Amino acid sequence: MENQFEKWVPVAKLKYYFAVDNAYVGRKLRLLFFPYMHKDWSLRYDQEHPVQPRYDVNAPDLYLPTMGYITYVIVAGLLLGMQKRFSPEQLGIQASSAMAYSIFELVIYSLALYVMNVKTSLKTLDLLAFTGYKYVNIVVCLMVSTLFFKSGYYIALAYTSFSFGFFMLRTLRTKLLQDNSPAAPSGAINYDPYGNPQQFDYSGGKKRKLYFLFMIVAGQALFAFLLSKHLYLPEAEVLTVPKTF
């Protein structure tokens, strides 16, 4: 049964993305919100293997995206309740909608890589991790709206979109435009962080890679807006329940 489970769920691969600790989470959050203060964007390697995220803040992880997604659903329920729009079914609706957006986004990017014939070490779980960080930004924007309402929401959305766009540009440039893996001897294969040997060709297609890079960056801002525009708190007077006479 265990072998059948691992056949459909890549447990060994997922362990790499959840190898985090509290110190890493703090550093990663600081990197997401203040990426322009970060200097070294290169990935670290232990010989020819990339180190686990807990040892390299530049490595992608799935812990923060998962916690961000769960927190997003909880905060959505909270804000809907503050606006007298909550019902138990809303939690399921918000969770399934966000999941559908994430799957749709992942399919679009995967198809774009295939259609544009972009050769890269970027894998599906990498894309899932990088695009999942936007849930952290969405939660911050929604929480800001509880204090500063509509104006605070849009200011927070503008700032997080800019900072996250900067983060994605610098991080994915390492994956798309540069091959930072240790030099392998002739005829050898490059290492895949999931444990699968792959042969990559990183030469050429720089313009296509740039197009793909900017498509991802623009997509994060768009999807962050679509997932939060119906949830933020309006102005205070809009929340006031009118008195009945």
Side-chain angles (χ1 to χ4, degrees):
M1 183 177 294
E2 182 178 352
N3 292 335
Q4 289 297 322
F5 180 76
E6 292 186 356
K7 179 180 179 181
W8 298 103
V9 180
V11 177
K13 299 176 183 180
L14 287 174
K15 286 181 179 179
Y16 170 84
Y17 292 92
F18 285 93
V20 302
D21 53 21
N22 292 335
Y24 168 83
V25 171
R27 295 196 307 270
K28 195 71 171 190
L29 289 174
R30 184 168 62 249
L31 178 60
L32 289 173
F33 293 112
F34 306 102
Y36 31 81
M37 300 176 64
H38 192 59
K39 302 301 181 183
D40 183 13
W41 295 89
S42 60
L43 292 173
R44 296 173 55 189
Y45 286 81
D46 179 12
Q47 296 180 354
E48 62 178 13
H49 294 187
V51 300
Q52 294 177 338
R54 66 163 63 98
Y55 303 118
D56 183 11
V57 72
N58 295 321
D61 74 279
L62 286 173
Y63 175 81
L64 275 176
T66 302
M67 293 298 103
Y69 170 78
I70 295 173
T71 307
Y72 163 78
V73 175
I74 296 173
V75 171
L78 171 66
L79 294 183
L80 289 172
M82 296 175 68
Q83 300 175 65
K84 313 299 182 183
R85 295 191 287 138
F86 178 79
S87 65
E89 295 78 15
Q90 282 295 328
L91 289 179
I93 293 173
Q94 299 304 318
S96 59
S97 297
M99 183 67 68
Y101 269 109
S102 296
I103 295 174
F104 173 75
E105 185 180 12
L106 200 61
V107 169
I108 291 297
Y109 296 148
S110 298
L111 286 176
L113 281 173
Y114 176 77
V115 172
M116 299 170 70
N117 194 27
V118 174
K119 305 298 183 181
T120 174
S121 62
L122 196 64
K123 296 299 182 182
T124 302
L125 290 179
D126 287 336
L127 283 173
L128 184 62
F130 286 124
T131 57
Y133 289 133
K134 67 176 171 290
Y135 287 107
V136 178
N137 295 331
I138 294 173
V139 169
V140 170
C141 294
L142 293 177
M143 294 307 296
V144 169
S145 76
T146 63
L147 298 175
F148 303 103
F149 306 104
K150 182 178 180 179
S151 58
Y153 164 78
Y154 280 106
I155 292 174
L157 181 65
Y159 175 78
T160 55
S161 296
F162 172 79
S163 61
F164 191 49
F166 186 90
F167 165 82
M168 294 289 279
L169 283 173
R170 296 303 302 267
T171 303
L172 291 182
R173 188 177 68 172
T174 303
K175 287 277 188 179
L176 289 171
L177 302 181
Q178 303 172 12
D179 177 14
N180 283 347
S181 59
S186 177
I189 54 179
N190 287 333
Y191 180 77
D192 173 7
Y194 315 137
N196 297 327
Q198 299 285 340
Q199 182 70 46
F200 298 119
D201 177 16
Y202 297 94
S203 60
K206 184 175 182 179
K207 184 177 293 187
R208 295 193 302 273
K209 292 178 180 180
L210 285 174
Y211 289 152
F212 178 76
L213 179 59
F214 284 110
M215 181 180 72
I216 291 184
V217 172
Q220 298 316 292
L222 174 62
F223 284 112
F225 173 71
L226 293 177
L227 285 166
S228 58
K229 64 183 178 64
H230 60 292
L231 295 172
Y232 71 86
L233 289 184
E235 299 298 334
E237 57 268 19
V238 179
L239 294 175
T240 304
V241 179
K243 296 181 180 180
T244 57
F245 298 95

